[in-house]
Amino acid sequence: MLRRLFDALYAPLATLIVVPVTVLVCLIVIAGPTLPIRRELGRAGVRLMLASIGVPLRVRGREHLPQGPCIVVANHASYLDGLVLTAALPRTFSFVVQDGAANWPLIGLTLRRMGVIFVNRASALQSARLTRQLIRRLHDGEPLAIFAEGTFRAEPGLLPFKNGAFLIAARTHTPVVPAGIRGTRRLYGGDRRLPRWSAVEIVFRPPLRATGSDREAALRLRDLTRQHVLALCGEPDRHLAPSAADADL
């Protein structure tokens, strides 16, 4: 009963606080003169947003992030996942997200100014172009962060992983770092309009590598990465791995 009472009081109060803070952070990021500065402002801004509503962000295992290019693959449980992962990763990381976010008022412009890479899964042509772009970025030494489920649902559980990130990793001999995000689903997940208090934790595990550059090696890497993420996220396994024909990012 006490927890329900706390949630009932916390939700509107946290909303009244975090909305203006979020708008302020977005405007500051948009005004940043260079991409590195905008990303640093974004990282600090996310921590400010969480602190303003009393949410601690704990990050463990950052020492597992390799120097140079890599692909961080994390579970996806909430709209907040990209934000908290931004705060946890160095500013050199570029994020790959669904293109629908590019049209969100103010948020979309902020994401574009932070160098987010948008993917349109409905277009095979654009997906192919994006794949070539990501390969070039990795060859240039740029690390990436991807939510391999591609989306999230209201009910808890890790969805199947898309194949694209792992095909790219195998082809470019890029290490994949499994990451688990906890707490964001309770904080602002499902179909709720108001937040509930929850600590947020992100854990990185040592990088994994494909045993070859062919498709089978990529799919083995996908399955192994998913096992690690499943163990880290603390949610049930909602589905078996996708078929070999599913190569979407």
Side-chain angles (χ1 to χ4, degrees), residues 21 37 43-45 54 63 81 96 99 128 168-169 171 175 179 196 212 217:
V21 172
I37 290 176
R43 295 176 71 243
E63 67 276 9
D81 294 330
V96 181
D99 63 347
I168 292 172
R171 180 175 174 180
R196 292 182 298 181

Side-chain angles (χ1 to χ4, degrees), residues 39-232:
R39 286 183 171 179
E40 282 297 339
L41 290 171
R43 295 176 71 243
V46 172
R47 291 184 177 273
L48 174 62
M49 290 158 56
L50 295 176
S52 71
I53 55 175
V55 173
L57 174 62
R58 296 189 288 266
V59 182
R60 295 191 289 119
R62 278 191 59 168
E63 67 276 9
H64 296 313
L65 297 173
Q67 297 294 322
C70 69
I71 301 176
V72 169
V73 173
N75 60 299
H76 202 7
S78 164
Y79 289 113
L80 300 177
D81 294 330
L83 295 177
V84 299
L85 197 56
T86 295
L89 289 171
R91 70 184 184 192
T92 52
F93 275 80
S94 293
F95 283 70
V96 181
V97 303
Q98 293 187 65
D99 63 347
N103 299 319
W104 294 348
L106 190 62
I107 298 294
L109 177 58
T110 305
L111 294 176
R112 291 195 295 272
R113 292 286 284 167
M114 290 185 66
V116 167
I117 305 165
F118 296 103
V119 54
N120 179 2
R121 294 185 174 88
S123 170
L125 178 60
Q126 290 191 28
S127 294
R129 289 175 177 171
L130 176 62
T131 297
R132 292 193 294 271
Q133 177 187 354
L134 297 182
I135 289 174
R136 286 195 301 270
R137 287 177 179 247
L138 290 169
H139 281 154
D140 290 341
E142 183 176 350
L144 304 173
I146 294 177
F147 296 103
E149 294 165 274
T151 187
F152 65 89
R153 296 177 182 171
E155 65 274 10
L158 188 68
L159 300 175
F161 277 6
K162 305 292 185 180
N163 300 335
F166 308 99
L167 293 169
I168 292 172
R171 180 175 174 180
T172 59
H173 309 288
T174 300
V176 172
V177 178
I181 301 175
R182 293 182 180 232
T184 55
R185 187 182 296 277
R186 173 172 172 78
L187 180 61
Y188 191 63
D191 299 323
R192 287 180 295 101
R193 296 180 179 272
L194 299 177
R196 292 182 298 181
W197 186 89
S198 175
V200 175
E201 182 180 46
I202 301 176
V203 182
F204 301 103
R205 281 195 173 175
L208 307 172
R209 292 183 179 271
T211 56
S213 58
D214 61 332
R215 186 178 187 82
E216 291 305 314
L219 298 186
R220 288 194 297 269
L221 177 62
R222 177 201 67 191
D223 294 343
L224 180 59
T225 303
R226 191 172 183 276
Q227 289 175 17
H228 281 270
V229 174
L230 182 63
L232 290 172

